[in-house]
């Protein structure tokens, strides 16, 4: 007889956690890809996505200032690793120049659902994925059937600053090194047709940046037979030793939201918005012992002694206040029909990055120096010379390298930088499932356009200290006397603070007090205005790049879908135009009415318009006077194959072509196009997936 069971409802399929969703996405992927839930490795207190990505196979994080900021994949530079959020290009304000590196400073992992690391591209992937790409998927409202709210609060501190009290900080005011923070995520499927997510976090993290550096002649640095005598192979000698006592405080705040709405059972709209703010001031103070010249018999692998006046001491404080803002709205429409499946979307990503110094009341860099001393390194170990002796050669008296009175002020610099990056994206695609001769086939085609705008401005001005007597010196014991003593800029705020690597506390120079001196007595400084103009012009750049793409893709499955193949072709048309510094010495030549250069009598040299160095620099160095336009078309074939060896064992292989686009600054002129790095790559992998 027929047995009729009572009705039952299966709802667990939509109660899957993030790890299960990630595993299933990886299992059914057409290419070599690693998909990991954002909460797979536990809580990341400061929300830095780089601390998560460094755990994925094939990914190496490039660190700056102790933070993982950029992604390298399979040995390929971070400049050739596209990074997207929800498939849309992520803006990154690279202050250091016109590079393509994508910095992750302002991205919070708390706003993400999962991470996709793609190692073998499909036709949908940008052709610039030289060894892969990374896509970050925001949280979605329909990943759950009932609301879920997660909230956490925490406090962060470092082992060497385990205190709640205020201690000497980066600048004038003492600060707390133990800081609270919190994050939350709220997923709310309101009903079957509408849902939303809301997430955010804020954290402040103090980070010491202790470091030492060495210069060994005969290995990392060359000898010259004069100041640095030649040495046999395998017997280098130490000439420079620096110890850095750095501090940085990083504050991250972010918020993200997604609105999901089902127009019909087969059509869905998704609106997402991500916002982040980063504030990361830093102050790095460095004491350097220099052996500027030495002689034969005065050095070995264990000790080095400078000539009588061949040594120097230097104090450098580098500090800036770094901040940046980023935001990214995206809109996507998806149609999941019985015959056709279509998708279209658009996104706008904005990022800014600012390095400010004198605008916030301090120099970027300040230098105090003591020349003409004798420096001796003894008992040199792998870490540092165990004994460092500094003496005055005329008297033989010891010189205290940790005392501010042993130095004179020499120079200070201001290097403000402001960068803005905008990336706009739009795409559309359609796919259809077919059955050809009992073989399931999928045909898909699409278009996308990506626009990248970047604008960079800055300055680089050096203020040379000459004091009240308008005469620069290199030692406070100058026979003619010196009014350039460094105590005028003594950093009393960090007095008594110890130094790393076993050194006693150093009396540092304060960049803020250095700036105070300039505010009160600008006549104590000299500025080369021509050099300052050139520095500002060289930092000024504007770039616009548009990449228009079209692709076609075909999927086929064999042997009851155990063997799957994906083949396709992508075409990308790139159009670039940019503005940068123009250096043209002929702009300072006098010309006649016909425009011909007037030559100096008896020479073949043009007669200058002016001999004033400032005016000459203004004439010959033109802000954004160089204009360049480039365009090129490239094709990117790809093939991906996967085979289900067992239920939980999948073997994959991929073949593809890609390019490494040049930095924007390498688009030099109308006649020259920088060479592109091209790559044909074959990849393979075997995945063992856990049952879920």
């Amino acid at each position: 007889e027929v047995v009729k069971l009572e009705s039952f409802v299966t709802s667990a399929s939509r109660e899957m956690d993030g790890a299960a969703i990630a595993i299933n996405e990886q299992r059914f992927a057409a290419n070599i890809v690693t998909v990991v839930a954002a909460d797979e490795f536990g809580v990341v207190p400061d929300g830095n996505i780089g601390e998560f990505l460094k755990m994925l196979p094939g990914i190496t994080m490039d660190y700056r200032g102790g933070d993982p900021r950029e992604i390298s994949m399979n040995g390929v530079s971070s400049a050739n690793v596209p990074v997207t959020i929800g498939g849309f290009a992520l803006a990154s304000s690279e202050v250091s120049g016109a590079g393509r590196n994508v910095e992750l400073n302002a991205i919070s992992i708390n706003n993400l659902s999962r991470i996709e690391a793609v190692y073998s591209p499909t036709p949908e992937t940008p052709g610039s994925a030289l060894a892969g790409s990374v896509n970050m998927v925001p949280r979605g409202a329909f990943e759950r059937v009932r609301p879920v709210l997660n909230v956490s609060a925490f406090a962060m501190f470092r082992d060497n600053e385990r205190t709640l009290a205020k201690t000497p900080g980066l600048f004038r005011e003492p600060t707390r090194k133990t800081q609270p923070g919190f994050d939350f995520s709220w997923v709310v499927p309101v009903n079957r047709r509408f849902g939303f997510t809301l997430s955010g976090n804020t954290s402040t993290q103090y980070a010491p940046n202790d470091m030492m550096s060495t210069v060994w002649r005969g290995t990392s640095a060359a000898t010259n037979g004069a100041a640095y005598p030649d040495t046999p192979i395998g017997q280098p000698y130490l000439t420079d030793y620096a110890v850095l006592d750095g501090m940085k405080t990083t504050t991250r705040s972010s918020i993200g939201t997604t609105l999901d709405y089902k127009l019909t059972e087969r059509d869905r709209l998704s609106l997402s918005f991500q916002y982040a703010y980063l504030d990361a001031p830093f102050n790095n103070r460095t004491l350097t012992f220099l052996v500027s010249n030495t002689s034969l018999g005065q050095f070995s692998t264990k000790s080095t002694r400078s000539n009588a006046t061949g040594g120097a001491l230097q104090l450098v404080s580098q500090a800036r206040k770094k901040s940046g803002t980023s935001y990214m709205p995206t809109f996507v429409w998806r149609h999941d029909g019985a015959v056709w499946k279509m998708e279209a979307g658009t996104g706008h990503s904005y990022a800014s990055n600012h390095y400010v110094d004198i605008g916030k009341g301090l120099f970027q860099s300040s230098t105090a120096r003591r020349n003409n001393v004798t420096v001796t390194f003894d008992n040199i170990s792998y870490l540092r010379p165990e004994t460092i002796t500094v003496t005055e050669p005329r008297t033989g008296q010891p010189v205290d390298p940790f005392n501010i009175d042993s130095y004179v002020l020499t120079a200070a610099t201001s290097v403000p930088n402001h960068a803005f990056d905008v990336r706009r994206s739009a795409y559309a695609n359609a796919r259809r499932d077919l059955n050809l001769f009992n073989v399931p086939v999928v045909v898909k085609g699409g278009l996308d356009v990506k626009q990248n705008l970047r604008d960079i401005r800055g300055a680089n001005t050096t203020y040379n200290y000459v004091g009240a007597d308008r005469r620069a010196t290199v030692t406070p014991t100058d026979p003619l006397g010196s009014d350039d003593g460094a105590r005028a800029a003594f950093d009393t705020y960090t007095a008594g603070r110890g130094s790393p690597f076993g050194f006693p506390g150093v009396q540092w120079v304060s960049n803020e007090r250095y700036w105070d001196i300039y505010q009160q007595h600008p006549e104590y400084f000299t500025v080369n205005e021509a050099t300052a103009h050139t520095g500002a012009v060289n930092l000024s750049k504007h770039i616009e790049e548009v990449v228009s793409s079209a692709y076609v893709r075909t999927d086929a499955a064999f042997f009851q879908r155990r063997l799957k193949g994906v083949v396709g072709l992508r075409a990308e048309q790139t159009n670039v135009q940019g503005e940068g510094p123009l250096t043209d010495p002929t702009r300072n030549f006098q010309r006649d009415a016909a425009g011909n250069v007037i030559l100096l009598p008896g020479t073949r040299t043009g007669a200058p318009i002016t001999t004033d160095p400032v005016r000459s620099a203004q004439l010959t160095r033109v802000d954004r006077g160089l204009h360049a336009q480039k365009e090129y078309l490239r094709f990117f074939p790809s093939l991906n194959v996967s085979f289900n060896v067992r239920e939980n064992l999948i073997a994959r292989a991929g073949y593809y072509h890609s390019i490494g686009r040049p930095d924007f600054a390498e688009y030099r002129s109308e006649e020259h196009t920088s060479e592109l790095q091209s790559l044909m790559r074959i990849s393979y992998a075997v995945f063992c997936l856990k049952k879920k």
Side-chain angles (χ1 to χ4, degrees):
E1 297 180 359
V2 176
V3 178
K4 182 179 180 180
L5 302 178
E6 295 183 2
S7 62
F8 62 96
V9 178
T10 58
S11 59
S13 61
R14 291 186 58 201
E15 289 294 342
M16 299 165 64
D17 60 17
I21 296 175
I23 288 176
N24 280 337
E25 182 177 336
Q26 180 171 323
R27 177 191 297 273
F28 296 106
N31 53 335
I32 302 176
V33 59
T34 296
V35 186
V36 184
D39 56 359
E40 180 76 5
F41 302 129
V43 177
V44 179
D46 66 344
N48 189 338
I49 184 67
E51 298 291 353
F52 178 89
L53 289 170
K54 68 182 183 182
M55 303 180 188
L56 300 186
I59 289 182
T60 302
M61 298 305 302
D62 295 339
Y63 281 74
R64 293 190 188 178
D67 291 334
R69 295 191 188 179
E70 300 162 353
I71 305 171
S72 297
M73 293 187 70
N74 291 333
V76 170
S77 165
S78 57
N80 304 117
V81 179
V83 179
T84 57
I85 293 185
F88 297 98
L90 176 66
S92 174
S93 50
E94 176 73 22
V95 170
S96 60
R100 295 182 179 273
N101 307 59
V102 178
E103 294 187 342
L104 306 176
N105 285 341
I107 303 174
S108 175
I109 192 173
N110 189 59
N111 302 331
L112 305 175
S113 172
R114 56 192 178 275
I115 312 297
E116 301 169 344
V118 179
Y119 302 99
S120 63
T122 59
E124 297 93 332
T125 308
S128 57
L130 202 58
S133 60
V134 174
N135 182 48
M136 308 176 196
V137 182
R139 296 182 184 275
F142 295 129
E143 292 179 358
R144 298 280 183 171
V145 294
R146 53 178 61 89
V148 176
L149 173 64
N150 294 315
V151 180
S152 62
F154 50 85
M156 291 190 292
F157 59 87
R158 297 285 176 168
D159 285 346
N160 59 345
E161 291 281 356
R162 290 180 289 183
T163 177
L164 298 177
K166 290 184 177 181
T167 58
L170 284 70
F171 306 111
R172 295 183 191 268
E173 299 297 327
T175 58
R176 300 187 191 278
K177 307 305 185 295
T178 300
Q179 294 284 353
F182 80 94
D183 60 59
F184 74 95
S185 63
W186 192 22
V187 181
V188 185
V190 178
N191 51 46
R192 295 181 64 254
R193 301 190 65 179
F194 174 72
F196 68 89
T197 71
L198 184 65
S199 58
N201 82 307
T202 183
S203 66
T204 299
Q205 180 178 200
Y206 163 78
N209 185 24
D210 300 339
M211 186 174 68
M212 67 87 183
S213 63
T214 58
V215 173
W216 288 84
R217 299 288 164 175
T219 54
S220 61
T223 58
N224 55 25
Y228 300 111
D230 297 334
T231 184
I233 295 175
Q235 298 182 35
Y237 56 95
L238 180 68
T239 58
D240 299 10
Y241 181 82
V243 56
L244 183 146
D245 182 10
M247 292 187 286
K248 181 178 72 169
T249 300
T250 304
T251 299
R252 305 175 191 271
S253 299
S254 69
I255 190 167
T257 184
T258 303
L259 304 177
D260 292 318
Y261 180 70
K262 291 183 178 179
L263 287 172
T264 66
E265 286 299 319
R266 297 189 178 275
D267 293 275
R268 172 180 161 186
L269 301 177
S270 181
L271 176 65
S272 178
F273 181 78
Q274 307 285 331
Y275 173 86
Y277 172 75
L278 173 74
D279 182 64
F282 63 88
N283 196 341
N284 295 328
R285 306 173 176 93
T286 306
L287 166 61
T288 306
F289 302 87
L290 299 163
V291 173
S292 302
N293 58 71
T294 185
S295 302
L296 289 172
Q298 296 194 139
F299 58 82
S300 68
T301 57
K302 291 298 183 180
S303 66
T304 306
R305 178 183 175 85
S306 74
N307 293 332
T309 58
L313 302 172
Q314 183 170 273
L315 295 178
V316 175
S317 294
Q318 292 183 315
R320 279 196 287 187
K321 297 189 176 181
K322 170 184 168 67
S323 63
T325 301
S326 65
Y327 60 83
M328 185 175 184
T330 63
F331 179 76
V332 177
W333 164 71
R334 295 181 177 90
H335 173 74
D336 189 13
V339 178
W340 287 95
K341 293 178 173 56
M342 293 176 283
E343 186 174 337
T346 182
H348 176 95
S349 182
Y350 168 90
S352 66
N353 203 352
H354 310 276
Y355 283 96
V356 184
D357 42 60
I358 60 177
K360 295 293 185 179
L362 73 161
F363 279 118
Q364 182 267 341
S365 176
S366 61
T367 303
R369 196 172 173 95
R370 175 69 174 269
N371 285 3
N372 303 326
V373 294
T374 304
V375 174
T376 304
F377 301 138
D378 287 314
N379 301 320
I380 301 173
S381 69
Y382 74 97
L383 184 63
R384 52 160 287 187
E386 295 300 325
T387 305
I388 301 177
T389 306
V390 184
T391 57
E392 169 62 46
R394 290 175 297 181
T395 64
Q397 295 297 314
V399 176
D400 186 356
F402 311 108
N403 191 316
I404 194 72
D405 292 323
S406 299
Y407 299 85
V408 294
L409 301 177
T410 57
T413 60
S414 171
V415 192
N417 283 275
H418 305 276
F420 305 90
D421 192 42
V422 176
R423 304 199 183 192
R424 302 186 180 107
S425 309
Y427 72 90
N429 60 64
R431 56 170 284 182
R432 181 169 181 176
D433 295 349
L434 304 172
N435 194 312
L436 301 178
F437 307 104
N438 293 325
V439 175
V441 176
V442 177
V443 178
K444 181 178 180 180
L447 304 170
D448 68 65
V449 179
K450 294 181 174 64
Q451 182 190 43
N452 187 188
L453 300 173
R454 182 171 297 180
D455 195 274
I456 304 171
R457 285 197 180 273
N460 191 340
T461 308
T462 299
Y463 299 78
N464 295 301
Y465 191 87
V466 295
D469 61 2
R470 309 292 293 169
R471 184 177 60 85
T473 59
V474 294
T475 171
T477 60
D478 191 307
L480 299 179
S482 171
D483 63 347
D484 303 341
R487 182 163 287 277
F490 177 32
D491 187 354
T492 58
Y493 323 118
T494 58
R497 172 184 167 85
S499 298
F501 306 110
F503 287 97
V506 180
Q507 295 184 346
W508 300 106
V509 173
S510 167
N511 291 22
E512 294 161 297
R513 288 196 167 177
Y514 221 147
W515 173 247
D516 290 343
I517 296 173
Y518 179 82
Q519 292 286 84
Q520 298 165 9
H521 298 284
E523 69 277 10
Y524 288 5
F525 297 80
T526 62
V527 176
N528 188 324
E529 297 293 347
T531 303
H533 171 79
T534 301
V537 169
N538 289 339
L539 289 171
S540 179
K541 302 178 182 70
H542 177 79
I543 306 102
E544 178 179 350
E545 179 184 66
V546 177
V547 180
S548 305
S549 309
Y551 65 86
V552 62
R553 162 180 167 170
T554 301
D555 299 36
F558 307 92
F559 306 119
Q560 298 181 339
R561 298 182 182 271
R562 293 184 64 187
L563 175 64
K564 298 178 182 179
V566 179
V567 64
L569 178 67
R570 180 182 183 88
E572 290 187 352
Q573 170 68 29
T574 304
N575 295 82
V576 183
Q577 59 182 7
E579 299 174 335
L582 172 65
T583 302
D584 184 1
T586 66
R587 291 173 59 88
N588 193 30
F589 291 165
Q590 299 180 33
R591 299 176 184 270
D592 58 23
N596 299 314
V597 174
I598 300 175
L599 301 179
L600 291 171
T603 72
R604 301 183 63 183
T605 303
I609 297 174
T610 178
T611 57
D612 178 68
V614 178
R615 179 60 181 153
S616 176
Q618 293 172 345
L619 288 173
T620 59
R621 308 295 177 93
V622 184
D623 181 42
R624 300 189 178 181
L626 175 65
H627 301 268
Q629 292 183 343
K630 300 294 174 188
E631 66 171 297
Y632 50 91
L633 175 66
R634 293 291 187 273
F635 295 94
F636 307 99
S638 62
L639 171 66
N640 286 274
V641 178
S642 65
F643 182 73
N644 285 32
V645 181
R646 299 178 58 183
E647 180 183 359
N648 62 342
L649 184 64
I650 303 175
R652 303 186 190 273
Y655 165 90
Y656 64 92
H657 281 239
S658 60
I659 61 171
R661 299 184 185 276
D663 288 347
F664 294 115
E666 295 181 24
Y667 293 102
R668 299 291 185 183
S669 64
E670 295 294 341
E671 294 79 17
H672 175 264
T673 300
S674 298
E675 290 296 326
L676 302 176
Q677 303 176 49
S678 61
L679 177 69
M680 180 276 289
R681 193 178 185 94
I682 300 176
S683 303
Y684 63 91
V686 178
F687 293 102
C688 183
L689 301 176
K690 298 179 181 178
K691 296 181 180 179
K692 197 71 176 179

